[in-house]
Amino acid sequence: MSSNSQKKGFGATIWDYLTTVDHKKIAILYLISGGFFFLVGGVEAMLIRIQLMKAGNDFLSAGTYNEVLTMHGTTMIFLAAMPILLAFMNAVSPLQIGARDVAFPFLNSLGFWLFFFGGVFLNLSWFLGGAPDAGWTNYASLALASEGHGIDFYSLGLTISGFGTLIAGINFLVTIINMRAPGMTYMRMPLFTWTTFVASALILLAFPPLTVGIFFMVFDRLFGANFFDVTMGGNTIIWEHFFWIFGHPEVYILVLPAFGIFSEIFAIFSRKRLFGYTALVFATILIGFYGFMVWAHHMFTVGLGPTANAVFALATMIIAVPTGIKIFNWLLTIWGGSISFTVPMIYAVAFIPSFVAGGVTGVMQAIAPLDYQLHDSYFIVAHFHYVIVGGVVLAILAGTHLYWPKMFGTMLSEKLGKWTFWFFFIGFHLTFFIQHFLGLMGMPRRVYTFGADQGWDLFNAISSVGALFMAIGVIILLVNVVMTVAKNERVGNDPWGDGRTLEWAIPSPPPFYNFAQTPLVRGLDPYWIEKMEGNKEGMVYAEPLGDIHMPNGSFIPFVISLGMFIASFGAMYFMDDKAWALPVLIGGLAITFGSMLVRSLKDDLGFHVTKEELIADNERIQREARALEGGKKGGLK
Amino acid sequence: MDLNKRYTPQTWPDHPETATLEGKNKFVGFWLLLAAETVTFASLFATYLALKDKGPSGMEFSAAGLFELPLVFAMTMILLTSSLTSVYAIYHMKNHNFKAMQAWLGITVLLGLAFLGLEIYEFNHYVHLGFGYTNSAFSSAFYTLVGTHGAHVVFGLSWFIALMIRNAKRGLNMYNAPKFYLAALYWHFIDVVWVFIFTVVYLMGVIG
Amino acid sequence: MAHDTHDIHRSRAEFEFIKKKRAAEMRGQLTSFAMMIFLTLIAFTLVAADFSTYLIVPIILLLAAIQVVLQLYHFMHMSNKGHGMMAFFMFSGMFVAFMTIIAMVTIVWW
């Protein structure tokens, strides 16, 4: 209900966000916390580059370097990239399919708070005796030997946030399966929704192995189990398998939504229907499918045997085919289009060569004998940064510009956006391109320093300068955000002017019920169709105006997550013979399960927005739109 | 959705579990969760198979020497039967016969408790033999696989009991019918996992 | 929207028909249950009778698979209308499960 009121006190706003089940507000929460962790991970990256700036540097000690490196990877993957993508999924994909909300608003909120508390827990390790230091892959043979509680922060934190991600995945799957507007068939879904769908399916099937693996790690380290302890009959390779059975699909969980964002951008700013929509959809599904059959290419040097290596090498090369299909479809979408080089479009165009470079080095590593040479060298570091930064981070930056008006109702500055782009783009290639050669010259990854006689000085120095460029780009982006928020120039439904899908047919930001009337979808790019047919309203409706049922907000998700957060401390200090550990563990779990029970015993049927309220709200929206139009005309004079 | 709306068997829909959008969402979401659970248990089975009979040198325990079939047979029969009784409960749910449904759920819960009791007895027995959780990689993998199944049984039973108590006065309506249906579905899934446990862990364990 | 379900009013005859249909379905469930018990008995008997391992293992795995199909398709109604998407995800899950298990029993120790 709360979203109706316009002006609220600070405390009321905070409470509103703590209890919200509205997917648009949860998207904002994801964006803010994901953005925060992105900055944390960025600072860690800068520390790494400062340390490697020159030979024999002693800026960080070897131990601290391991911690920084581990936390950089873990934070960027689990706490920055995924949540920010989940922010866009939350903000946009329910709107794209014409839904009033997601399938499980309560669980949506629970998913966010679990992620949030997991991330906070993981980062508290810095202040409570040291961060994890076994790399983001946390290989068991290293992790079991690690002293202190760093690894426990890793495994417990990721367990909590992993549950959150799994919940988010199920939520999107059900939303897309069940809640599409009339006429929105699967083959009319916008590509971002399709990639959300496939990425969620990957989350659904890839997170359980990670959870199981991490559970083993927790039990081995804290409760005396022997899954990975070789002297007790265990096997450390089991961890590697579970990690990569999860880890490889994880790459696609990240990159598919990125592909989705770019697909939207190419179509919007080329003012053309996506070329080869069907092929793009099937390529997306195929990538998701193959994603589960290639994990052992991360383990070629483990010694799985020639048969296993050959099978996985072949499967890995095959996966380049659907990716290639996508690249060509995007190029052909641009070709002959009426292109406008807005900030999102610049990112999209820059993405193609960057990502292709990362893909090509990926195929190189698929050749198992060559991988024996490249393994654990800076070539690998360069490769996955080309894929993750060149693909995912560019998409995140592009998506931030593209969807900012839809999420906040105001546009980021194009001018500053271009500055960000150039700094970031140049810095990115400066940092990582040269690392290919460092790898070929023999520099191993994850070393805290190198000698002056090894001939790696210059290239490392160049790489560090590139990182500085990226940092400047991100700082400009922050300035841009602050200035945009301060100026707060409101925009209308379709600020880019060429929106094609349903989210651009409703106000920015949309009312909390999204669509006063459920739209009727008459084809691919429904809003574009209506625009072309001169429909002033931008939508045809599938139902008459009537009461809308909406869910109540709830504080319970926060409490459930808090309980798990508390329980994790109990579990972690259990082995230290701390008297308070067991009560804290039990108490935390009691909070979690107690609040779950409260949730299930209470009748919570939500509330109705009446027809009269909708009409009144619609009048307000119309009034604001007219004021905006008037303002624009005034500005032009 | 009106909670106070009273249904009779004649006005009760054919598929009450999917008659509302909430019900449909829960239904699909729950099946997806089961797909994820399939992978979870597969991971546990895979680990168990990799670590079966593996331990420190000189470990005295092996699957062939440890497991006893009569107990497992009894547990299997009990759990299979409870799967059938929950089918009866849902049968009566669809006929809008609340009392009969509660009765069959009650039987299901009793059978589940019996299963759980036997499992606790079994674990206790092994621990007394010296086959503790930290004994070896084999013991860790065994207890984690079978114990996770046991935890699912506990959760399923709690779910049934909570639903029965909560709705004892309320009777069947569109709000809780999907919940009863899904709890039964969960119970069947637990049975599916058990089929593999008795086959892969116990039967294949005994023959070595 | 779909929150308000359509009111159904069945005539006496319709109701009796549906009830009979459900009762017939329930008899089918009983048959599947009997089969499950039977399959379980065979599996346990095979092991108790101490046949060759190479004979028993594939047979009891097959019996388990049949039982699971019975559970999924009869008790859990996976064959019913509107279960297409669910079946797809269950089979995807089984595919990942299969890959995981194959990996662990074959290549872990090499």
Side-chain angles (χ1 to χ4, degrees):
Chain A
M1 204 56 159
S2 43
S3 330
N4 255 338
S5 45
Q6 287 293 298
K7 292 268 178 257
K8 265 181 303 191
F10 182 67
T13 311
I14 295 283
W15 178 250
D16 184 30
Y17 273 92
L18 287 178
T19 58
T20 188
V21 294
D22 179 349
H23 68 93
K24 299 174 290 298
K25 287 188 179 164
I26 290 173
I28 292 173
L29 288 173
Y30 267 121
L31 189 67
I32 292 173
S33 37
F36 171 74
F37 285 126
F38 181 73
L39 295 181
V40 172
V43 169
E44 282 152 4
M46 290 312 292
L47 295 179
I48 292 175
R49 278 328 310 174
I50 292 173
Q51 166 66 18
L52 295 179
M53 193 169 57
K54 58 179 192 198
N57 201 355
D58 57 357
F59 175 69
L60 298 175
S61 73
T64 315
Y65 182 85
N66 285 345
E67 294 177 3
V68 170
L69 162 141
T70 303
M71 286 299 283
H72 166 67
T74 314
T75 305
M76 282 303 196
I77 297 282
F78 290 99
L79 308 180
M82 260 206 303
I84 296 177
L85 291 171
L86 281 172
F88 295 137
M89 294 180 187
N90 261 305
V92 178
S93 58
L95 304 179
Q96 285 193 328
I97 58 173
R100 292 236 166 80
D101 207 329
V102 289
F104 306 112
F106 178 89
L107 288 184
N108 200 12
S109 155
L110 178 62
F112 168 75
W113 289 111
L114 284 172
F115 142 71
F116 179 78
F117 277 109
V120 170
F121 186 80
L122 181 53
N123 274 284
L124 280 179
S125 62
W126 286 115
F127 310 104
L128 296 170
D133 54 0
W136 86 285
T137 51
N138 200 46
Y139 274 14
S141 24
L142 269 177
L144 288 186
S146 170
E147 283 165 11
H149 278 302
I151 303 297
D152 306 323
F153 276 107
Y154 172 96
S155 32
L156 291 165
L158 288 191
T159 308
I160 302 175
S161 74
F163 281 135
T165 311
L166 182 65
I167 288 172
I170 293 180
N171 189 14
F172 284 118
L173 285 172
V174 179
T175 306
I176 293 171
I177 292 173
N178 272 355
M179 298 182 65
R180 282 166 291 128
M184 178 60 81
T185 58
Y186 281 110
M187 291 312 282
R188 283 178 183 175
M189 290 196 316
L191 218 76
F192 181 64
T193 301
W194 255 114
T195 50
T196 300
F197 187 70
V198 177
S200 304
L202 294 183
I203 289 176
L204 180 77
L205 300 177
F207 267 73
L210 176 73
T211 310
V212 168
I214 289 183
F215 248 79
F216 290 168
M217 182 64 72
V218 170
F219 275 75
D220 260 20
R221 281 183 56 98
L222 299 176
F223 303 108
N226 307 299
F227 295 102
F228 308 127
D229 184 350
V230 180
T231 58
M232 298 298 278
N235 189 330
T236 62
I237 308 297
I238 290 175
W239 167 269
E240 297 187 26
H241 274 297
F242 280 138
F243 190 85
W244 289 118
I245 289 174
F246 148 78
H248 201 79
E250 168 70 15
V251 177
Y252 298 106
I253 293 170
L254 291 175
V255 90
L256 284 178
F259 287 174
I261 291 172
F262 285 130
S263 303
E264 301 289 322
I265 291 173
F266 283 127
I268 292 175
F269 297 107
S270 305
R271 299 199 185 87
K272 262 178 77 184
R273 188 183 189 274
L274 261 180
F275 184 89
Y277 170 84
T278 321
L280 278 168
V281 168
F282 281 104
T284 307
I285 298 172
L286 265 184
I287 290 175
F289 183 67
Y290 285 142
F292 279 102
M293 297 194 285
V294 297
W295 80 86
H297 66 216
H298 298 269
M299 300 165 63
F300 281 151
T301 57
V302 164
L304 303 174
T307 319
N309 278 5
V311 169
F312 281 101
L314 259 178
T316 307
M317 291 174 199
I318 289 174
I319 211 164
V321 175
T323 318
I325 290 175
K326 291 191 154 226
I327 299 283
F328 284 110
N329 278 313
W330 289 322
L331 290 177
L332 289 168
T333 304
I334 307 174
W335 194 22
S338 155
I339 306 164
S340 53
F341 278 104
T342 57
V343 172
M345 186 62 172
I346 298 177
Y347 277 112
V349 172
F351 148 80
I352 289 186
S354 311
F355 188 80
V356 167
V360 168
T361 50
V363 177
M364 284 169 73
Q365 288 153 43
I367 305 161
L370 180 59
D371 185 68
Y372 268 75
Q373 303 301 317
L374 303 176
H375 191 83
D376 253 347
S377 75
Y378 257 79
F379 192 86
I380 305 293
V381 178
H383 157 72
F384 67 68
H385 279 97
Y386 260 82
V387 175
I388 300 289
V389 182
V392 182
V393 177
L394 289 187
I396 284 173
L397 294 173
T400 307
H401 279 270
L402 179 67
Y403 290 124
W404 194 272
K406 195 41 70 183
M407 291 173 81
F408 299 98
T410 162
M411 295 273 265
L412 287 172
S413 153
E414 284 282 292
K415 199 172 155 201
L416 286 178
K418 282 176 187 166
W419 278 103
T420 302
F421 168 78
W422 284 112
F423 270 107
F424 196 87
F425 186 69
I426 293 172
F428 157 61
H429 282 285
L430 208 54
T431 309
F432 295 111
F433 189 70
I434 210 143
Q435 290 185 0
H436 290 111
F437 300 100
L438 277 174
L440 294 177
M441 287 153 74
M443 180 167 169
R445 70 190 274 208
R446 290 172 172 167
V447 290
Y448 80 103
T449 190
F450 53 91
D453 54 344
Q454 285 173 294
W456 302 333
D457 307 49
L458 177 64
F459 284 9
N460 269 305
I462 294 174
S463 187
S464 295
V465 171
L468 186 68
F469 271 62
M470 283 200 273
I472 294 172
V474 173
I475 290 168
I476 297 176
L477 176 66
L478 287 180
V479 172
N480 195 351
V481 167
V482 172
M483 283 174 60
T484 308
V485 172
K487 271 194 206 154
N488 198 20
E489 285 170 15
R490 311 309 294 175
V491 293
N493 294 2
D494 184 14
W496 296 106
D498 296 303
R500 310 178 70 83
T501 41
L502 281 173
E503 77 267 32
W504 304 111
I506 52 175
S508 321
F512 68 102
Y513 45 81
N514 295 355
F515 298 89
Q517 288 162 277
T518 305
L520 180 71
V521 178
R522 302 195 293 162
L524 186 67
D525 296 340
Y527 182 45
W528 187 258
I529 292 177
E530 301 303 334
K531 274 202 273 193
M532 289 300 105
E533 296 190 358
N535 181 346
K536 277 269 185 310
E537 275 182 90
M539 260 198 285
V540 275
Y541 304 109
E543 57 170 18
L545 198 63
D547 292 2
I548 298 176
H549 175 259
M550 294 302 290
N552 287 325
S554 172
F555 190 51
I556 295 178
F558 185 92
V559 181
I560 293 178
S561 316
L562 183 69
M564 292 196 61
F565 179 73
I566 294 171
S568 302
F569 280 105
M572 194 165 58
Y573 290 106
F574 186 69
M575 264 324 198
D576 292 357
D577 289 325
K578 293 243 187 346
W580 51 265
L582 193 62
V584 166
L585 173 60
I586 293 172
L589 288 177
I591 293 175
T592 296
F593 286 106
S595 41
M596 278 162 76
L597 195 68
V598 170
R599 166 72 183 171
S600 11
L601 294 184
K602 233 174 51 180
D603 282 322
D604 185 3
L605 297 174
F607 64 95
H608 280 90
V609 188
T610 61
K611 199 170 159 182
E612 290 69 39
E613 285 174 307
L614 283 176
I615 292 171
D617 206 35
N618 189 42
E619 272 166 12
R620 179 183 61 79
I621 290 168
Q622 298 294 339
R623 210 166 42 241
E624 282 173 8
R626 270 196 304 277
L628 205 65
E629 282 294 306
K632 254 195 203 135
K633 279 187 192 120
L636 280 175
K637 277 174 206 161
Chain B
M1 184 168 47
D2 186 5
L3 270 191
N4 299 317
K5 187 167 174 181
R6 290 277 155 238
Y7 288 92
T8 67
Q10 262 132 310
T11 59
W12 189 241
D14 276 350
H15 291 284
E17 71 276 8
T18 52
T20 60
L21 180 63
E22 281 93 346
K24 220 181 287 175
N25 286 344
K26 282 202 176 89
F27 181 72
V28 175
F30 196 78
W31 270 100
L32 298 181
L33 181 72
L34 291 185
E37 289 263 45
T38 306
V39 182
T40 307
F41 275 105
S43 306
L44 294 170
F45 271 109
T47 309
Y48 172 80
L49 287 171
L51 297 179
K52 186 184 168 196
D53 290 344
K54 300 283 194 306
S57 49
M59 179 179 74
E60 52 181 318
F61 298 103
S62 70
L66 196 66
F67 300 144
E68 286 158 23
L69 284 190
L71 185 71
V72 177
F73 183 71
M75 286 163 79
T76 305
M77 285 301 153
I78 290 172
L79 204 63
L80 273 180
T81 312
S82 80
S83 199
L84 178 76
T85 56
S86 70
V87 171
Y88 265 109
I90 294 308
Y91 167 66
H92 288 296
M93 190 271 274
K94 293 212 163 171
N95 279 338
H96 200 265
N97 185 344
F98 182 65
K99 285 226 173 82
M101 182 191 78
Q102 291 279 74
W104 280 108
L105 282 184
I107 298 174
T108 309
V109 168
L110 289 179
L111 288 169
L113 286 173
F115 173 86
L116 207 59
L118 287 180
E119 185 151 89
I120 291 168
Y121 165 79
E122 187 203 4
F123 280 11
N124 190 34
H125 175 64
Y126 293 154
V127 171
H128 273 285
L129 292 176
F131 187 65
Y133 185 72
T134 57
N135 176 277
S136 59
F138 171 45
S139 73
S140 299
F142 167 77
Y143 283 117
T144 306
L145 169 59
V146 183
T148 306
H149 176 265
H152 277 69
V153 172
V154 172
F155 186 80
L157 288 176
S158 322
W159 194 0
F160 275 140
I161 293 169
L163 278 178
M164 286 167 68
I165 295 174
R166 181 188 185 279
N167 296 306
K169 291 254 168 58
R170 288 179 168 93
L172 273 173
N173 56 35
M174 281 296 138
Y175 186 66
N176 58 31
K179 300 187 180 195
F180 280 111
Y181 187 89
L182 295 185
L185 214 53
Y186 188 69
W187 197 252
H188 294 312
F189 182 76
I190 289 172
D191 208 35
V192 166
V193 174
W194 181 257
V195 168
F196 280 111
I197 289 186
F198 86 70
T199 305
V200 173
V201 176
Y202 290 104
L203 290 182
M204 280 164 64
V206 167
I207 57 180
Chain C
M1 262 187 23
H3 300 281
D4 311 295
T5 51
H6 302 287
D7 284 338
I8 306 170
H9 280 285
R10 296 196 190 83
S11 67
R12 189 90 215 148
E14 266 178 318
F15 174 62
E16 289 301 326
F17 172 73
I18 275 186
K19 221 174 153 182
K20 275 212 186 94
K21 216 175 85 184
R22 290 214 186 97
E25 229 170 75
M26 196 58 225
R27 277 192 296 279
Q29 303 283 34
L30 268 176
T31 318
S32 352
F33 175 70
M35 275 182 74
M36 288 179 201
I37 296 287
F38 181 63
L39 295 175
T40 310
L41 279 173
I42 296 180
F44 273 89
T45 317
L46 278 176
V47 174
D50 218 8
F51 287 112
S52 147
T53 309
Y54 296 101
L55 182 68
I56 297 177
V57 170
I59 293 181
I60 59 175
L61 282 178
L62 182 69
L63 294 180
I66 297 173
Q67 266 211 58
V68 166
V69 169
L70 284 176
Q71 284 270 1
L72 285 175
Y73 278 91
H74 286 183
F75 283 12
M76 296 165 85
H77 304 284
M78 209 165 80
S79 55
N80 281 16
K81 193 163 67 74
H83 284 60
M85 210 29 136
M86 275 82 100
F88 173 74
F89 274 97
M90 277 308 269
F91 282 115
S92 310
M94 288 178 205
F95 166 71
V96 176
F98 179 75
M99 296 289 287
T100 310
I101 290 175
I102 287 294
M104 294 285 179
V105 296
T106 56
I107 58 182
V108 159
W109 289 96
W110 291 357

